[in-house]
Amino acid sequence: MIDRIRDARRAYRRGLVYPAAMLTLGAAAIHFSVAPDHLEEFPPFGILFLVIGVLQLALVALLVMLPGRRVFATAMAVAVACLFVWAVSRTVGLPVGPNPGQPEALSLADALTSAFEVLSLLLFILLLRSSPPRSKRRWWLAGTVPAGVLLTIATVIGIVAGVNPLPYAVNMGSAAPGKASVTMADLKEPAGRQPEKDFTLTAQVAHISIFGGQEAWTYNGTVPGPELRVKQGDRLRVTLINHLPASTSIHWHGLRLPNADDGVAGITQDAVPPGGQYTYDFVVKDAGTYWYHSHQDTEDQVPLGLYGALVVEPAQGPAYDRDYTVLQGDANRTRPIQLDAKPGELVRLRAISAFMEDMNGTPELLTLLGAPYRVIALDGHDLNGPTEMGVELLPVGTGQRYDLAFRVPASGRVRLLDVRPQTGSAEPARDWASLGEGALPQLNTGMPVFDRSKPLGYVSRSLATFDPTSYGLAAPDPVAARGRYDVRSDLVITNQPGLRYGSRLDRIPLKLIHMFNGKSFPDTVPISVREGQYVRLRLVNQTDEYHPIHLHGHVFSVISRNGRPLTGSPIHLDSILVGPHETWEGAFLADNPGLWMLHCHVLIHAAFGLSTMVSYEGIATPYVIGSKSGNFPE
Ligand code: C2O
Ligand code: CU
Ligand code: CU
């Protein structure tokens, strides 16, 4: 009888002690995982986490080997102390630390640790009361194994979240200690006598109809923002006034400008705080179709409406009767545009894909109906000898631009239609624009449909897809034709589920992490270059998605697609659209010193890590990315 009671008591105790020990072990492991980040942020906290972790490990050993009331009481006291400090830090804020008196954001790692501690506390209370049940049933023990499995999973999640924190203060500078360096803040446009064009863009909240009356973030109250039109060689001066409730910046997409005016939060400037202002001032060297957009919290701010077109008219060139820009995003944020044109007029239509909320990154598939046309420029750069073509799918990756030229027919309208199939995550805009008067031409071949099993993700039975690598006439491109390059770099694009910025519970941290060469931003390895070097990049897409890979401050000369060199016109792009399992090669001359982002322009992909840098050696920046500064360029 006595034996039986003792057995029952032992089983009962084991059934409580082991889970309590596992919970304590889990909490210790997560404490260790967050320690390095805290050591960087505020060393005393880092040390505290290490001490607590060690203490909890010791308690686990005691719980298993010498269970007893004193051990239970001590473990309980430690859990209570941890929970108390945690509760204060998340509510009123601790009196010491990196931001004294300010509550800290809740993170997945600390939420899990605290849950472990609360549960262990309950078990320790039961253990201290120590009244084993009358029954000798061993269901307590049976519960230990499943609990152990669950706890192990939860602990691993907590550790992964703990070692993938929101960055605190990451400096993207490339200056090596002890070596001469230049700060990017000095890489500004020198004074000159260029004709000046002044604009003011006020970033402000507005309620506008294409957002269904919902809040939009706008430049000067409209989405897209005002079209800025300048002449090649002008000096563009834009003052950004921030009336938004958040900090923001403006990036000049596709332009080769001085690094200090690139507008990237945390790299070339601090994001402009609410109420602040900032002036960009640079000479526009390249003619063509460009655009501007926020480069702070880009994934959120661009879809909210912070983008607009920037058209640089050539100093000289063919005259068009009409020159229009159409800038569109996903369907819920756009409306078809009706443009004036008379029969016989020569039209230049500049199409810009501003953003999409499509996780696949499937490009817009534009078709021009109602007139034969030529593709005269890609990403602002003229093509050589463009030939006339009929209805085809023009795949425009996010951020890319297609300039089309055509004559308005004697009767009927010309229609620019997006036939990108709906992929489930987002609906494309349909009608982008129509020109002229009369009947609207119809697409009588049927829309392409999405098919995940196809390498391109979409299938069209009857429409050809435009291939820029075999269009127009061949011509010399010294950058693409160089045999030798000073720098060669492969960027292999992959993705896998993981916890990104796990210390952020205002968003779901479980993401399809996107990586260049196995690393996600800001841990990606920058491509290091020196002024005057020729750089060759190979973009290898190992995913089922599309990635328009965009380089700041430079223009790629495309070398090859899937190993096949160009057969048509040279192609100059700031964003190379790399389709599923495709490989593209491009080269550029490093002639613009600075710290330049290189990232996928599917903003979700960039925000999930698909971003890196082209960094000239010896460039320092006074700015940092992370929670300390609040600069988040993605
Ligand atoms: Cu259009 Cu880094 O951006
Ligand atoms: Cu850009
Ligand atoms: Cu991408």
Side-chain angles (χ1 to χ4, degrees), residues 1-271:
M1 188 63 190
I2 300 275
D3 270 5
R4 282 192 172 181
I5 290 173
R6 198 183 292 141
D7 271 1
R9 180 171 289 159
R10 232 184 256 141
Y12 167 75
R13 290 233 310 200
R14 240 184 281 145
L16 291 180
V17 170
Y18 286 175
M22 282 187 280
L23 287 162
T24 309
L25 183 64
I30 301 176
H31 281 145
F32 284 128
S33 79
V34 299
D37 189 47
H38 283 280
L39 276 173
E40 184 200 343
E41 197 175 312
F42 185 67
F45 283 178
I47 293 166
L48 185 69
F49 278 111
L50 290 176
V51 169
I52 293 172
V54 170
L55 199 64
Q56 287 176 321
L57 279 188
L59 285 167
V60 171
L62 289 173
L63 283 168
V64 175
M65 292 181 311
L66 299 167
R69 300 182 71 88
R70 240 186 287 156
V71 176
F72 301 153
T74 314
M76 196 173 121
V78 170
V80 169
C82 285
L83 283 168
F84 176 74
V85 174
W86 173 76
V88 171
S89 72
R90 294 312 189 266
T91 50
V92 291
L94 294 169
V96 291
N99 309 301
Q102 292 229 20
E104 263 182 72
L106 190 66
S107 84
L108 186 60
D110 66 65
L112 281 171
T113 318
S114 303
F116 285 8
E117 283 162 353
V118 168
L119 284 175
S120 73
L121 203 59
L122 296 176
L123 296 179
F124 290 130
I125 291 171
L126 283 177
L127 281 164
L128 283 172
R129 286 179 62 229
S130 199
S131 53
R134 296 258 152 94
S135 122
K136 61 182 181 3
R137 279 185 302 160
R138 300 201 171 183
W139 58 272
W140 293 100
L141 198 57
T144 306
V145 175
V149 172
L150 281 180
L151 283 181
T152 307
I153 294 171
T155 304
V156 169
I157 293 174
I159 293 170
V160 176
V163 297
N164 288 294
L166 193 65
Y168 174 64
V170 182
N171 187 292
M172 300 310 286
S174 60
K179 283 208 180 159
S181 72
V182 172
T183 168
M184 56 56 53
D186 289 341
L187 301 172
K188 286 196 285 216
E189 196 72 73
R193 312 174 127 264
Q194 303 86 359
E196 240 181 59
K197 297 279 170 70
D198 288 301
F199 297 93
T200 299
L201 293 176
T202 303
Q204 61 195 72
V205 172
H207 295 266
I208 54 177
S209 59
I210 64 165
F211 277 60
Q214 299 232 325
E215 185 174 299
W217 286 17
T218 72
Y219 295 117
N220 300 359
T222 64
V223 176
E227 176 177 316
L228 309 183
R229 247 184 205 262
V230 297
K231 282 242 155 34
Q232 186 174 14
D234 281 349
R235 193 169 187 113
L236 181 60
R237 298 186 81 230
V238 181
T239 300
L240 163 65
I241 299 175
N242 185 8
H243 287 169
L244 296 172
S247 61
T248 191
S249 76
I250 301 180
H251 167 64
W252 310 94
H253 180 119
L255 288 184
R256 298 186 287 174
L257 41 58
N259 197 223
D261 289 290
D262 200 36
V264 181
I267 297 177
T268 66
Q269 66 172 93
D270 275 326

Side-chain angles (χ1 to χ4, degrees), residues 85 118 141 226 265 313 358 370 434 436 459 474 558:
V85 174
V118 168
L141 198 57
E313 294 173 350
D358 181 343
S434 67
V459 280
V558 175

Side-chain angles (χ1 to χ4, degrees), residues 323-334:
D323 185 329
Y324 288 122
T325 310
V326 185
L327 173 59
Q328 297 281 31
D330 267 345
N332 52 338
R333 297 283 186 273
T334 56

